[in-house]
Amino acid sequence: MNRVTVLSFGYWGWGTNTKQLVKLASEWEEQHGFAPPMWVDVRLQRQARAPEFRGDRFAEATGAANYVWMGGLGNAEVADPQGNGIRIAKPKQAEALLDIVLEKDEQGQKVVFFCACPLICEGGKPRCHRHEVGRLLLEAARRRGVELTVAEWPGGEPEVHEIPLDDRVIERWEAKQFPRKLVPRRVPLLAAQGTVFRFRGKEMELLTCLRTPILRGTNWSYRTTDFEWKRGRFSEKDIVRFKKTMAKEYGFTPRSV
């Protein structure tokens, strides 16, 4: 059996631009030989602050055939706090999710299961219930003998992109977002989570990793991780170390059985 990949996604920041999100995801999948993805909503409730994720609004953007709500895989702590932080309402529903994943894989589609949380991990520890959904899905796959990988959307292999930047900007860097307009066109808008931006000045360098892009109005930005800067140049070992550190910190590393 070929390995199957399922993707996890947090839509924070996309609440008014779902059509563009669906278009971006569909184009990425088509570039990699897949049909537009199947979106599985794993929120306990759908009364979202984000207007285009309330009720059936997101299904209107994806098309009804490419959307399903599985509230049983939502975090029960949202409605009934018991101090556990993360508690899946109906853990056995992971079996039903795996059924969907395998069915869609046969049809040339990937599944993206999603909620609102922008970070699946922080400080190397699970922050969002999607992490637990992924664990339950992997357990279900192990029981069935399915080779499965759970990765953060959009999947793929992290790369390293070198980008020139003024030393003064590097030295004063504080933000965890970076405008697309300052990035060379050769760098794709969508890239694997954990892809490194290596900003190079004349005397300084800065490293940060990509998370998901967001769109506000007509302005694209890259979300980024924590960063590291130095006077002089980073070695290749420095970059590998930084990439591994951020992958652990933010949960970028795919999980497989």
Side-chain angles (χ1 to χ4, degrees), residues 11-108:
Y11 66 72
W12 195 269
W14 282 96
T16 58
N17 290 293
T18 52
K19 290 182 180 179
Q20 292 89 338
L21 170 62
V22 171
K23 182 174 183 290
L24 183 65
S26 297
E27 289 175 348
W28 170 273
E29 292 301 318
E30 289 167 3
Q31 290 169 12
H32 293 81
F34 292 90
M38 175 77 182
W39 299 83
V40 177
D41 189 340
V42 295
R43 294 175 295 169
L44 185 73
Q45 302 168 343
R46 298 191 298 172
Q47 294 88 355
R49 283 184 291 176
E52 293 184 20
F53 284 92
R54 293 174 191 155
D56 290 326
R57 289 288 302 277
F58 189 58
E60 296 171 6
T62 64
N66 284 332
Y67 172 89
V68 64
W69 177 36
M70 302 187 76
L73 290 176
N75 187 2
E77 289 288 303
V78 171
D80 181 25
Q82 296 183 10
N84 299 323
I86 295 174
R87 179 168 50 91
I88 304 302
K90 297 180 180 179
K92 291 183 179 180
Q93 204 168 74
E95 295 283 355
L97 176 55
L98 182 57
D99 288 337
I100 294 173
V101 169
L102 297 178
E103 176 188 352
K104 295 304 174 182
D105 181 68
E106 290 182 356
Q107 299 171 7

Side-chain angles (χ1 to χ4, degrees), residues 196-210:
V196 175
F197 273 180
R198 182 183 188 180
F199 294 110
R200 303 194 70 166
K202 291 182 178 180
E203 298 179 0
M204 304 179 69
E205 287 195 2
L206 182 142
L207 300 177
T208 189
C209 286
L210 297 188

